[in-house]
């Protein structure tokens, strides 16, 4: 966000307040440009992910984050991509990222359901709001993830449906 400026601001504030040990930091790192992923070998995917993560740590002025999300997963295949898995496993082993998860905005039910049996992800950041109250596949996938011990974090909770915009309610 803001080309990394948000991380710089968080890092500066935590440093100025001497409050790093009182904060839980979560950050998101994209696995690469989707249009390039099929052309990239797993070693390059891993290297680019690790480099992006190191840039985040530098901006945050810290040596670790509590939660690292692989950002914007919309294809369940990416949850099994060896280059991504290798990168996050290395970061967790090095204690640079304490918990590993992913964020998803589209194809959420499929991505969440695919993550459950892998055992690789501890937390999922997903869009959910009242307009999705009848989305049975999404709710079922979330229930399975929770039952498997995967933490769920809600985002995009402020629904802006067309009817609300037209009525002036949103």
């Amino acid at each position: 966000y803001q080309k990394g400026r948000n991380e710089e601001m968080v890092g500066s504030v935590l440093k100025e307040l001497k409050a790093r040990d009182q904060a839980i930091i979560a950050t998101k790192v994209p696995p690469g440009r989707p249009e390039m992923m099929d052309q990239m070998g797993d070693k390059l995917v891993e290297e680019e992910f690790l480099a992006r993560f190191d840039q985040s740590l530098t901006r945050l002025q810290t040596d670790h984050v509590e939660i690292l999300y692989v950002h914007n997963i919309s294809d369940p295949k990416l949850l099994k991509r060896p280059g991504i898995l290798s990168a996050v496993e290395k970061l967790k082993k090095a204690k640079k990222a304490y918990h590993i998860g992913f964020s998803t905005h589209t194809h959420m039910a499929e991505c969440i359901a695919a993550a459950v049996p892998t055992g690789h992800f501890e937390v999922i950041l997903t869009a959910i709001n009242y307009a999705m109250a009848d989305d049975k596949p999404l709710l079922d996938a979330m229930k399975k993830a929770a039952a498997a011990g995967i933490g769920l974090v809600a985002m995009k909770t402020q629904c802006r449906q067309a009817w609300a915009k037209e009525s002036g309610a949103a």
Side-chain angles (χ1 to χ4, degrees):
Y1 297 92
Q2 296 180 348
K3 298 181 181 178
R5 183 73 182 116
N6 284 3
E7 287 178 326
E8 290 172 0
M9 290 185 282
V10 168
S12 293
V13 167
L14 290 175
K15 183 177 182 178
E16 182 179 329
L17 296 176
K18 297 179 175 54
R20 175 61 184 100
D21 62 338
Q22 299 170 9
I24 294 173
I25 298 177
T27 196
K28 299 183 281 187
V29 174
R33 295 190 341 226
E35 67 275 12
M36 301 291 292
M37 291 296 288
D38 288 338
Q39 301 166 22
M40 295 171 62
D42 287 316
K43 190 65 178 162
L44 183 56
V45 168
E46 177 183 339
E47 289 170 0
E48 284 199 20
F49 190 90
L50 292 171
R52 285 189 177 112
F53 179 77
D54 283 340
Q55 291 168 349
S56 288
L57 288 183
T58 298
R59 289 189 294 261
L60 289 164
Q61 300 182 46
T62 189
D63 62 352
H64 72 280
V65 296
E66 282 71 19
I67 303 171
L68 169 60
Y69 293 108
V70 180
H71 183 47
N72 199 18
I73 298 297
S74 60
D75 183 345
K77 291 187 302 188
L78 290 176
L79 299 173
K80 296 179 182 177
R81 182 76 191 249
I84 296 169
L85 295 176
S86 176
V88 296
E89 287 170 17
K90 284 181 179 180
L91 294 170
K92 188 164 182 176
K93 187 175 182 177
K95 298 187 184 329
K96 289 184 172 188
Y98 294 170
H99 301 284
I100 303 299
F102 67 91
S103 65
T104 182
H105 301 81
T106 55
H107 307 285
M108 297 172 297
E110 297 89 342
C111 291
I112 294 169
V116 172
T118 71
H120 294 295
F121 302 97
E122 301 163 277
V123 61
I124 300 169
L125 177 64
T126 189
I128 185 79
N129 59 59
Y130 70 85
M132 300 169 174
D134 295 326
D135 188 336
K136 185 168 175 24
L138 176 59
L139 298 176
D140 287 347
M142 292 175 71
K143 286 177 187 174
K144 288 178 185 170
I150 298 172
L152 296 164
V153 179
M155 68 172 165
K156 314 284 187 205
T157 60
Q158 302 302 306
C159 179
R160 294 186 55 89
Q161 295 295 314
W163 62 264
K165 291 179 198 168
E166 291 168 9
S167 69

